[in-house]
Amino acid sequence: MARKVILDVDPGVDDALAICMALFDPRLEVVAVTATAGNVSAEQATRNVQGIIEQLDPPRLPRIGAAKEPDFGREGDNRHLYGADGLGNAHFPVAELHHVHPAEKVICDEVRAAPDAITIVALGPLTNIARALARDSELASLIGRIHIMGGSMRAGGNVTPAAEFNIHCDPAAARTVFRSATTKTLVPLDVTNQVMMTYAQFDELPPESTKAGSFLRRILPHCFRTHRAELGLEGMWIHDAVAMAALLHPELFHAEALTGDVETRGELTTGATVFDRRSGRKAHANMEVLTEVDVAAVMDCILRGLHAAAKR
Ligand code: BDR
Ligand code: CA
């Protein structure tokens, strides 16, 4: 039976890759895609979720949940990397949707409808998940697993010297989720920074004549350019696609059970993730943290996933 997942995303080009992999994978049933503010504003993130689904036209339409900005504001965004619309300036048109529920309501509804069976794949700031936990005090015990792209153990930050983007955007929400009584996997920069998509791999993507191929070939080129111009990289990071590969193929990663928390008020360290690695502390571990990755096998898995999306 396919594994039920909710994708909580802030698209973002790498979120879009992960969504593309998930929507066509027979091992997954994507019951909802909920938008969260992060790479782009709440409004744009919601539009992008809708636009991505309309462009890809998957066999089964997931529910959509609308984003709302974090309660304490959001520091910055990633439009400088992903384009003004977050999707490589593709500016996909979207149909006007009525009655889109808030993301946290959709999360609560779907978890309640399938207790213990839902994996929430969190690929953006953790705002919606913290709100869902606050909205329904029993929710933590009903969520199967939360699979989070975010944080950093030894890799340093990417948005500040200490903090990773998703956690830094809404550190209070991240702390709530980290401290919740849920089963969690964290896919930090330590592994996602190791996997880059190269120009040669871009050329291996599905052809323009397919819906998925045309979509990918519209959103990615801008991102390759910004990675070169701003970061001096000959390729692009695809953090969220790596996290999706980790969900589908955990055997390609090494995991450690650790106690993790989030700094919410540091002068230089707001949004930094802190792990207790002192000996004898494993018994209190609150999450599994991925620490090593088989880079070539993960890239292969990602490309296969994107090709599967084009076979439909
Ligand atoms: C994370 O932040 C965003 O830039 C990406 O979409 C990814 O989820 C990486 O730090
Ligand atoms: Ca993201």
Side-chain angles (χ1 to χ4, degrees):
M1 203 172 68
R3 179 173 182 177
K4 288 183 193 297
V5 294
I6 296 172
L7 309 180
D8 188 59
V9 293
D10 63 331
V13 169
D14 61 335
D15 300 78
L17 296 182
I19 295 169
C20 188
M21 289 165 72
L23 286 176
F24 296 88
D25 195 305
R27 292 164 291 184
L28 301 179
E29 179 188 348
V30 182
V31 296
V33 184
T34 51
T36 187
N39 285 319
V40 289
S41 70
E43 196 189 338
Q44 184 71 53
T46 307
R47 267 182 81 82
N48 287 353
V49 162
Q50 203 192 323
I52 292 166
I53 294 170
E54 286 177 11
Q55 290 297 313
L56 292 173
D57 188 22
R60 183 182 182 283
L61 282 182
R63 278 184 81 183
I64 290 179
K68 199 174 125 221
E69 294 291 334
D71 297 341
F72 305 111
R74 177 172 45 97
E75 277 285 321
D77 58 42
N78 266 331
R79 284 176 297 178
H80 61 106
L81 275 185
Y82 297 135
D85 65 348
L87 294 177
N89 292 331
H91 297 291
F92 296 116
V94 289
E96 196 175 329
L97 281 191
H98 302 284
H99 312 303
V100 182
H101 289 295
E104 68 269 23
K105 177 179 173 4
V106 173
I107 292 172
C108 290
D109 289 352
E110 294 301 327
V111 170
R112 281 271 173 193
D116 295 326
I118 300 267
T119 297
I120 302 175
V121 183
L123 304 178
L126 294 166
T127 314
N128 293 332
I129 302 170
R131 283 188 182 137
L133 291 167
R135 184 184 172 109
D136 181 343
S137 59
E138 289 173 4
L139 200 76
S141 65
L142 303 174
I143 296 171
R145 176 176 289 272
I146 311 180
H147 184 87
I148 303 164
M149 189 284 127
S152 171
M153 191 162 70
R154 297 195 190 90
N158 61 355
V159 64
T160 72
E164 181 278 330
F165 181 83
N166 288 340
I167 306 295
H168 186 259
C169 266
D170 193 346
R175 175 175 274 194
T176 299
V177 174
F178 274 38
R179 291 184 176 186
S180 66
T182 50
T183 307
K184 292 174 279 294
T185 300
L186 193 74
V187 189
L189 292 179
D190 303 69
V191 292
T192 65
N193 267 352
Q194 295 188 48
V195 186
M196 296 200 82
M197 184 180 279
T198 63
Y199 300 115
Q201 285 157 344
F202 174 81
D203 290 335
E204 287 172 34
L205 290 174
E208 180 78 46
S209 55
T210 62
K211 281 185 178 150
S214 151
F215 172 74
L216 296 167
R217 286 164 188 279
R218 267 183 83 181
I219 65 170
L220 286 164
H222 175 87
C223 218
F224 277 105
R225 286 195 291 275
T226 57
H227 274 68
R228 176 186 272 166
E230 291 204 16
L231 306 169
L233 295 172
E234 298 295 318
M236 66 168 280
W237 276 311
I238 48 171
H239 306 279
D240 296 336
V242 177
M244 186 54 69
L247 182 81
L248 295 165
H249 287 284
E251 74 281 3
L252 302 180
F253 295 79
H254 176 75
E256 277 183 47
L258 290 170
T259 309
D261 208 336
V262 176
E263 178 58 85
T264 56
R265 281 182 306 179
E267 199 178 332
L268 300 172
T269 55
T270 300
T273 44
V274 179
F275 299 94
D276 191 348
R277 308 191 72 226
R278 293 173 293 173
S279 56
R281 303 285 161 148
K282 295 267 181 205
H284 305 289
N286 63 354
M287 61 180 67
E288 125 184 305
V289 183
L290 305 191
T291 54
E292 286 168 38
V293 51
D294 179 339
V295 174
V298 163
M299 198 59 225
D300 193 50
C301 156
I302 292 168
L303 290 175
R304 271 188 285 115
L306 298 175
H307 274 274
K311 290 222 172 80
R312 170 161 141 81

